[in-house]
Amino acid sequence: MTHQWTVVTVAYNSAGTLRRCWRDRQPYEWLVVDNASADDSAAVAAELGARVIRLPANVGFARANNVALREATGRYVLFANPDLEVRADDLPVLAGHLDVHGGLVAPQLLGTDGTPQANGRGFPYATAKLGNRNVWPLSRLHASYRQVVAPGETRYVAWVMGAAVAGRTADVAALGGWNERFFLYYEDHELGLRAWRRGLAVAVRGDVRWTHHWARATNSLRWSRAHSLELRSARTFFRMFPEFLVGLPRPERRHREAARLVGSPMPDGAGTVTRGT
């Protein structure tokens, strides 16, 4: 059976989460890449209807996504975390957006309690990252960094959280997929900025609203392996994008089109960005 959509999920000790969030039969091709889980994630995914790709070692989020991208047969691809509740009825809305605008698009994510999560983000200045942790006055100076999109609205963003991001499969492949220099964290930042540099807009659809049972491992003040991974990825990212290491919000020469559009409502018509910016 040929499906319009391929949904890619990277699993790592995710058996319980998969059981909770993926109970319904999926009307799409579902590829689960198991990053050498110690639990029965692969078996649970197979029971739920996924085609499972078992990796002999944990290769990280970006590389695992790329493994599945090379296997995807759908016209559209959605990268979806194990803790995301995908509403299949909304996929035609995302497909219609991609057919008009191309680029990358994400649903507006909601927490378990229904509170909107700011999965659309502005430019990832180092100071914005601190502001996102409620460090004053950076939290006030970067108030627009966290983007929540209202129902019925579509908004340009610099990047979207990797928990849910969609594109036409051919476009994502031409973009080069996910950057495997990142094991975990910051790969979604880099993907969004790379899309903008290639003339592909990044947007969040406020009329598509999915629950994301997010439990971020680095929210705790206690140092952990997750903090170490995030710090390593931050070093890699800011070496690649030194323009965001210092300074406060301002249009960047290397990101002119994104600077002009990020944060503004996206029109319904085509022609969202100019290539070669």
Side-chain angles (χ1 to χ4, degrees), residues 88-194:
D89 291 346
D90 291 328
L91 292 176
V93 177
L94 298 181
H97 173 99
L98 292 168
D99 284 342
V100 173
H101 302 286
L104 303 176
V105 66
Q108 173 60 59
L109 298 185
L110 307 175
T112 306
D113 62 357
T115 302
Q117 295 177 350
N119 59 301
R121 300 294 174 96
F123 284 122
Y125 290 91
T127 47
K129 305 292 287 185
L130 292 172
N132 192 46
R133 303 285 180 160
N134 295 318
V135 176
W136 191 89
L138 298 175
S139 54
R140 178 176 58 82
L141 293 170
H142 291 281
S144 62
Y145 174 66
R146 298 168 60 87
Q147 296 282 330
V148 172
V149 182
E153 183 180 56
T154 303
R155 188 170 291 274
Y156 293 104
V157 294
W159 60 280
V160 293
M161 283 169 41
V165 54
R168 290 182 294 201
T169 305
D171 290 346
V172 178
L175 191 59
W178 296 77
N179 192 321
E180 296 182 12
R181 292 176 63 183
F182 299 93
F183 183 86
L184 186 65
Y185 302 115
Y186 282 84
E187 65 283 301
D188 43 12
H189 303 45
E190 191 276 337
L191 181 66
L193 293 175
R194 178 158 34 100

Side-chain angles (χ1 to χ4, degrees), residues 196-207:
W196 279 108
R197 284 186 175 179
R198 301 283 184 88
L200 300 174
V202 183
V204 174
R205 294 279 309 212
D207 53 348

Side-chain angles (χ1 to χ4, degrees), residues 211-266:
T211 300
H212 177 215
H213 301 281
W214 191 28
R216 186 174 174 85
T218 54
N219 276 350
S220 170
L221 294 178
R222 184 177 179 180
W223 191 260
S224 65
R225 182 169 184 267
H227 288 91
S228 298
L229 290 172
E230 185 173 28
L231 181 59
R232 183 194 309 171
S233 291
R235 288 173 180 154
T236 299
F237 178 82
F238 288 114
R239 285 170 182 159
M240 295 174 66
F241 297 91
E243 63 268 31
F244 295 126
L245 186 56
V246 294
L248 296 174
R250 63 186 186 279
E252 289 292 341
R253 182 175 59 83
R254 297 173 68 191
H255 309 276
R256 288 191 301 270
E257 196 70 9
R260 184 175 69 84
L261 294 173
V262 164
S264 63
M266 192 172 188

